[in-house]
Amino acid sequence: MSKTIVETGPRVLARRGFLATAVTLSGAAVALLAGRPGLVRAAEAGSADAAILKTALGAEYNAIAAYGVGIDSGLLGAGAKKLAATFRDHHRAHADALAGAMRALKLEPIQPLAKYEFPVEQLKQEADVLAFAAGLERGAMSAYVGAIPLFGDRELARAAASILADEAMHWAVLRNALGQEPVPEAFFT
Amino acid sequence: MMPSLLLAAAMFAMPDGAAIYERCLACHTLAHDAVGPRHCGVVGRRAGSVPGYAYSPSMRNSGLTWDEATLDRFLAAPTTVVPGTLMTYAGVPDPAERHALVAWLRQAAHDPELCH
């Protein structure tokens, strides 16, 4: 499989203005994550909650970069491009909430990678881009389903569940756009 | 029931490893590192040994080598088997699903068409 390296990190970092807005948009989640007594415990080096936040933030950065590739691919019509931009903004808001939680833990949030690799040579038409995005969202659903039971702090788990719900909606909308059954099962793991 | 029908029934009931792998896609791909390390070549590889990937010290020092048994054990409860791993995921509790996932990885992660 040939690979394409996409430089995305600096662009993400350059969007701090937007992210400042996202703090407001995701204020409820950030407020939920900040100032909790459990965070003091979680702030201890090597805590499970800190590791979960770190991994989740990395996954959100990955999604932001992937949507950027799709948006810039030239393969999306106006409707799909708007949808992708909206979902990318959601992931940016998730990332900012998670970074805020890490700061509340007195931890330095991880930064986006300097380079992301995606199999863009496989993207030939709009449906390919939407299917690629749907795959990432499906994975994100499972990542949060698998992470939520591990949180020591229940408020962090609740905030993660809020993100999970959003990403599940992304997946369903993308499947619908692809002509697939939007919600094919009653349970997901 | 005829043996062939029994086999067909068993195959129908067998979890689809590729579908289970979809759960991993937010963090992993076969061919390149992402949030997690690439999976190409994973079976037979020492844990924490993909060059350039920033593993947790716990994973680097786990002493594990990935084979069917260690993958099965790890996937059942990653943070229990390797405390401190960045794979902060509760695991795949269903043994049949783990078996299907590992079987799929054995094939796909060593497929020259997918991994070159």
Side-chain angles (χ1 to χ4, degrees), chain A:
Chain A
M1 178 187 294
S2 61
K3 296 175 285 191
T4 298
I5 297 174
V6 180
E7 303 280 355
T8 54
R11 182 171 58 188
V12 173
L13 289 172
R15 298 286 301 210
R16 297 308 300 177
F18 170 83
L19 294 180
T21 305
V23 170
T24 303
L25 294 175
S26 60
V30 174
L32 196 65
L33 294 167
R36 299 288 307 173
L39 296 185
V40 176
R41 295 191 299 274
E44 296 170 5
S47 81
D49 286 0
I52 297 167
L53 291 170
K54 180 179 178 181
T55 299
L57 181 54
E60 294 291 349
Y61 286 148
N62 189 65
I64 293 164
Y67 272 107
V69 169
I71 290 166
D72 295 338
S73 68
L75 298 171
L76 298 181
K81 195 169 184 177
K82 182 180 179 185
L83 192 67
T86 298
F87 290 174
R88 179 175 63 175
D89 288 350
H90 292 172
H91 285 287
R92 283 173 168 157
H94 301 163
D96 207 59
L98 292 164
M102 292 191 74
R103 291 189 194 96
L105 295 172
K106 310 297 183 192
L107 299 170
E108 184 65 26
I110 62 167
Q111 295 300 313
L113 300 178
K115 297 175 183 176
Y116 287 87
E117 296 178 82
F118 301 109
V120 295
E121 74 285 351
Q122 297 175 5
L123 306 179
K124 307 292 187 189
Q125 56 188 336
E126 179 176 285
D128 298 335
V129 177
L130 296 177
F132 173 57
L136 287 175
E137 298 287 6
R138 175 66 186 89
M141 289 164 56
S142 288
Y144 281 103
V145 166
I148 286 170
L150 301 178
F151 274 113
D153 185 277
R154 294 179 66 82
E155 296 301 342
L156 287 174
R158 185 165 67 155
S162 173
I163 295 174
L164 164 62
D166 184 64
E167 300 193 352
M169 286 187 277
H170 293 176
W171 185 64
V173 169
L174 289 165
R175 284 180 59 87
N176 191 61
L178 286 162
Q180 300 170 344
E181 184 69 30
V183 186
E185 297 177 49
F187 299 97
F188 289 90
T189 55

Side-chain angles (χ1 to χ4, degrees), chain A residues 1-3 52 55 58-59 117 135-136 139-140 142 146-147 150 189, chain B residues 22-23 25-27 31-32 34-35 79 86 88-90 113-114 116:
Chain A
M1 178 187 294
S2 61
K3 296 175 285 191
I52 297 167
T55 299
E117 296 178 82
L136 287 175
S142 288
L150 301 178
T189 55
Chain B
E22 291 177 358
R23 302 176 194 172
L25 293 178
C27 296
H32 54 81
V35 181
T79 58
L86 293 174
T88 48
Y89 182 72
E113 290 297 313
L114 300 172
H116 62 80

